[in-house]
Amino acid sequence: MRLSIPPEIPARARELAARIAAGVQSFIDERTTDAVERATLRLWGLDGVDAAGVPLPNVVIDRLRGVLARGASRPVAAALRETGWEIGRLGEAIAAGAYDITARVDAPDDTWRPVADRLTEAALRAIDDAAARRRDLRGETGDPPWPWLYVIVATGNIYEDITQAVMAARQGADIVAVIRSTGQSLLDYVPHGATTEGFGGTYATRENFRLMRAALDEVSREVGRYVRLVNYASGLCMPEIAALGAIERLDMMLNDCMYGILFRDINPHRTFVDQYASRLISARADIVINTGEDNYLTTADAVDAAHTVLASCLLNERFAILAGMPERLMGLGHAFEIDPERPGSLTTEIAHALLLRAVFPEHPLKYMPPTKHMTGDIFRGYQMNAYFNLVGALTGQGIQLLGMLTEAMHTPFLQDRALAIRNAKYAFAATRGLADSLDLRPGGEIATRADTVLGLAIEMLEEIARIGLFEAIARGMFADIKRPESGGKGAAGVFAKSPDYANPLMEQLRPA
């Protein structure tokens, strides 16, 4: 059951996406942000908080306010050379007012570059070692085939999350996502330590990552199946969280080039620069990114706006390529969000899902369950999720994010998650071999709808290539949400690089 699409049509769409992304990439290459510089220091080994609980990477970058156009690498490495301290001790001294880091911003290359190169080499080795440990554990426990069954935990307490995640793995989940506390994407710092008081989710912190990964390692060995861990590299700390995920061996990161702009009103300049740095880190760490196109269909109609999902996936693909990511790390997103009262909704959804698979045949596409049209009728919700799983089985999705029968009512109970896994397992087992036994009729509803959506996506990309991506976002071409280029949160943390800007770590991460 496959669409027959002339290869020159997707090639034309990719050519347009490449042209659009190239213009934005030129902008990205000339800028850095607070978060990029903080991520660099974190990968160099800076961690912890000051006496007031402020993360030390924030303390150091705040002290360098006014000179960040030159980067933090030079003064920090020069200070380490001068003092002979480890980076943690330097951060503590700066926080205590016992060391003036700004006095080192003009350090000549021979006083700081050797230290920076040593720290960069150690950072890359730590990322590579974490990726190697992941590969070893997958080899030891066994790696499940597609589709991977993806569930969420969202208690707000990392220790309760661990209990639920372990139960989900025993019930058959292949991926566990720890939902992030409401509003964390708007925090311009990463909280520190284990946390137990999140709202609608649990704070993304290094210690929480470590605790959950350790628990999933243990249960992976128990069930004989590698269980993947997901968190969110998005918001104002996108590169920092990607860095922490790389060190603590997360497997997937929610990471989109436009989600923060559209749904969190984060400044477009900040978002595009940060997403590039975060993807450089994730590419080196062999972390799969999940993009957020499913969210478009919560604010725009799933039929009228279907082409915007495809257009955005093509742009996300191109930005990932620019960061050196292979296709196997691109978990591009889409969703089952057509109004169930619409006649032919299932037929139309199959067309949309098949089109995404046809355009992105090697990508581990992430397919999102129905949420927008869920109600308090749990029986109807369970039926909708069964149709969602059927479409996933017929169209070869890679990552199946399971819907809950109580979606949109409360944080899922353990039994809700167990029923979701049972529903999906039944659908995928019962339909084994079905898609390969079906042929699409040329000119039928599915093929015609797919052709229409692909044509509209190309028209949209042609218009964006003409006006530019920043202007397209300002006009509300994605998700029916308008975000001006100069607006949004975090704009003050973006800097045009000076001619003597230096960041050896990001230089090493950039693809050749």
Side-chain angles (χ1 to χ4, degrees):
M1 185 168 148
R2 293 176 177 83
L3 291 169
S4 179
I5 300 175
E8 62 270 17
I9 299 178
R12 170 60 178 163
R14 285 189 163 90
E15 175 191 341
L16 290 165
R19 191 191 314 169
I20 294 163
V24 179
Q25 189 64 41
S26 296
F27 180 93
I28 292 168
D29 291 340
E30 296 172 353
R31 285 162 177 80
T32 187
T33 72
D34 284 354
V36 171
E37 301 303 316
R38 295 195 304 250
T40 300
L41 299 184
R42 284 186 180 276
L43 287 169
W44 275 6
L46 185 60
D47 199 4
V49 295
D50 69 7
V54 178
L56 291 179
N58 286 71
V59 171
V60 174
I61 295 306
D62 288 346
R63 293 289 196 280
L64 290 168
R65 188 74 54 202
V67 296
L68 278 179
R70 304 176 69 181
S73 299
R74 182 192 310 268
V76 170
L80 293 172
R81 166 79 179 265
E82 178 195 46
T83 61
W85 295 340
E86 294 298 320
I87 195 169
R89 183 177 175 188
L90 175 65
E92 291 168 355
I94 293 169
Y99 188 87
D100 181 11
I101 189 68
T102 61
R104 301 293 168 264
V105 297
D106 293 317
D109 282 356
D110 62 352
T111 65
W112 71 272
R113 179 66 77 162
V115 175
D117 290 343
R118 174 176 58 80
L119 291 169
T120 293
E121 181 181 348
L124 297 177
R125 188 166 56 249
I127 293 172
D128 294 344
D129 287 349
R133 290 198 303 276
R134 181 194 301 114
R135 288 192 297 272
D136 289 345
L137 185 57
R138 287 202 320 235
E140 174 189 340
T141 60
D143 201 9
W146 285 358
W148 293 330
L149 304 187
Y150 178 127
V151 300
I152 65 171
V153 294
T155 70
N157 181 323
I158 187 59
Y159 301 104
E160 291 295 330
D161 282 350
I162 287 170
T163 298
Q164 294 203 4
V166 167
M167 289 297 295
R170 289 171 177 161
Q171 291 159 354
D174 302 309
I175 303 172
V176 175
V178 180
I179 300 300
R180 199 164 60 173
S181 182
T182 300
Q184 186 177 347
S185 62
L186 301 181
L187 299 180
D188 211 348
Y189 66 93
V190 180
H192 185 72
T195 64
T196 58
E197 296 181 343
F199 301 93
T202 303
Y203 287 102
T205 75
R206 180 174 181 175
E207 179 63 6
N208 285 348
F209 290 176
R210 187 192 68 79
L211 289 168
M212 182 62 81
R213 184 63 266 171
L216 292 183
D217 284 354
E218 184 176 346
V219 78
S220 293
R221 293 186 177 95
E222 174 191 324
V223 301
R225 182 185 72 257
Y226 184 72
V227 181
R228 286 168 166 81
L229 174 59
V230 184
N231 215 285
Y232 292 67
S234 61
L236 290 169
C237 295
M238 198 184 301
E240 288 181 272
I241 294 179
L244 297 177
I247 295 168
E248 297 299 340
R249 200 161 38 84
L250 269 68
D251 303 280
M252 295 182 180
M253 285 286 191
L254 277 291
N255 181 270
D256 188 274
C257 66
M258 290 187 285
Y259 173 86
I261 301 168
L262 299 172
F263 297 98
R264 295 294 181 265
D265 193 22
I266 296 174
N267 174 256
H269 295 173
R270 175 72 175 262
T271 299
F272 278 109
V273 176
D274 282 351
Q275 66 84 29
Y276 178 63
S278 66
R279 290 180 180 191
L280 291 176
I281 296 166
S282 292
R284 181 73 182 228
D286 207 33
I287 290 174
V288 174
I289 61 166
N290 295 157
T291 60
E293 284 80 10
D294 56 283
N295 294 279
Y296 296 4
L297 305 184
T298 63
T299 54
D301 182 79
V303 176
D304 294 343
H307 64 288
T308 70
V309 170
L310 177 55
S312 179
C313 284
L314 287 159
L315 291 170
N316 258 310
E317 177 193 50
R318 176 50 53 176
F319 282 114
I321 290 170
L322 290 170
M325 292 197 125
E327 291 175 343
R328 62 183 176 78
L329 297 183
M330 300 181 198
L332 305 175
H334 61 127
F336 185 103
E337 291 287 15
I338 298 175
D339 185 346
E341 299 297 332
R342 185 184 183 107
S345 63
L346 188 63
T347 304
T348 304
E349 184 57 50
I350 291 172
H352 293 175
L354 268 182
L355 176 59
L356 265 290
R357 176 45 74 204
V359 175
F360 305 104
E362 303 300 325
H363 303 59
L365 298 178
K366 179 188 175 188
Y367 194 30
M368 293 287 288
T371 58
K372 184 176 181 177
H373 297 287
M374 282 289 191
T375 69
D377 184 343
I378 61 172
F379 301 103
R380 182 176 177 81
Y382 203 63
Q383 181 184 31
M384 290 169 65
N385 286 325
Y387 281 159
F388 161 72
N389 289 324
L390 172 64
V391 175
L394 290 177
T395 60
Q397 304 303 310
I399 301 168
Q400 190 87 351
L401 199 162
L402 304 188
M404 306 292 166
L405 76 167
T406 50
E407 193 83 48
M409 292 175 62
H410 56 70
T411 299
F413 294 131
L414 287 173
Q415 63 264 32
D416 300 339
R417 196 176 294 108
L419 286 169
I421 293 170
R422 186 182 303 172
N423 185 325
K425 282 187 165 185
Y426 172 65
F428 283 99
T431 59
R432 187 169 297 147
L434 179 59
D436 290 335
S437 302
L438 300 176
D439 290 324
L440 292 178
R441 180 170 62 85
E445 284 191 41
I446 291 175
T448 299
R449 176 60 187 169
D451 288 344
T452 297
V453 173
L454 180 54
L456 290 171
I458 290 174
E459 289 179 12
M460 180 179 182
L461 291 169
E462 287 173 338
E463 177 65 6
I464 297 171
R466 186 183 68 81
I467 64 175
L469 186 53
F470 288 125
E471 179 60 21
I473 294 170
R475 294 185 185 183
M477 292 180 69
F478 296 96
D480 291 343
I481 297 172
K482 298 179 180 179
R483 300 296 190 197
E485 182 176 352
S486 60
K489 305 168 184 71
V494 184
F495 310 94
K497 295 175 181 175
S498 67
D500 60 348
Y501 173 83
N503 188 323
L505 178 56
M506 291 300 162
E507 290 167 13
Q508 287 293 315
L509 289 171
R510 290 174 71 99

